[in-house]
Amino acid sequence: MQIQIVHYANRYSDSLNQSKKSKNETPTLSDNVRISSLVREKEIHAEKVKPEIRVIWGDYFKAPQLEKFLDSHELVHKINLATSACKLHVDRNKALELLSHVNDLATRF
């Protein structure tokens, strides 16, 4: 489920980057409304990742997983930082970083 949410956040970042006008073009009211909507949706989808990760972390990660994957604490912290970065920025690389971390966590199940 979280991977789909991350893909949505990534897609909204791509859409926002495509919406940028050249320096000589003035955005219209319609452009501004579209951008505001995309930013809102991007932030909503990025924010959905944190509670999902908290549930996985608190309910499913037990001693065997923590012993097998010693960097689990660090990975969850990286996911939370990357989620915040996705909310704050319109940067495809930040969204891809979040996706990479979430995929890494998913492989541990």
Side-chain angles (χ1 to χ4, degrees):
M1 171 138 181
Q2 335 48 357
I3 294 173
Q4 182 180 11
I5 294 168
V6 175
H7 280 296
Y8 283 130
N10 190 6
R11 191 176 74 205
Y12 288 122
S13 291
D14 286 345
S15 295
L16 283 162
N17 283 322
Q18 291 170 0
S19 296
K20 292 180 181 176
K21 300 270 186 176
S22 72
K23 291 182 181 181
N24 297 334
E25 294 181 85
T26 303
T28 65
L29 178 60
S30 178
D31 293 332
N32 289 334
V33 169
R34 181 172 186 272
I35 289 169
S36 295
S37 176
L38 288 169
V39 166
R40 181 178 174 273
E41 290 300 316
K42 174 191 66 79
E43 290 177 0
I44 287 171
H45 281 86
E47 184 60 32
K48 287 180 182 180
V49 174
K50 285 184 178 183
E52 295 284 337
I53 294 300
R54 278 192 292 268
V55 168
I56 291 169
W57 185 246
D59 293 349
Y60 297 104
F61 264 73
K62 304 295 182 211
Q65 290 89 2
L66 295 174
E67 291 168 6
K68 184 176 180 182
F69 302 107
L70 299 176
D71 67 335
S72 295
H73 295 293
E74 182 182 347
L75 179 60
V76 169
H77 183 67
K78 285 180 182 179
I79 290 171
N80 284 314
L81 291 176
T83 300
S84 295
C86 282
K87 286 178 55 186
L88 292 173
H89 304 282
V90 180
D91 185 342
R92 179 174 174 72
N93 291 329
K94 292 187 185 310
L96 291 175
E97 178 184 348
L98 174 59
L99 180 61
S100 173
H101 293 319
V102 170
N103 282 335
D104 187 11
L105 184 69
T107 62
R108 297 175 184 212
F109 285 99

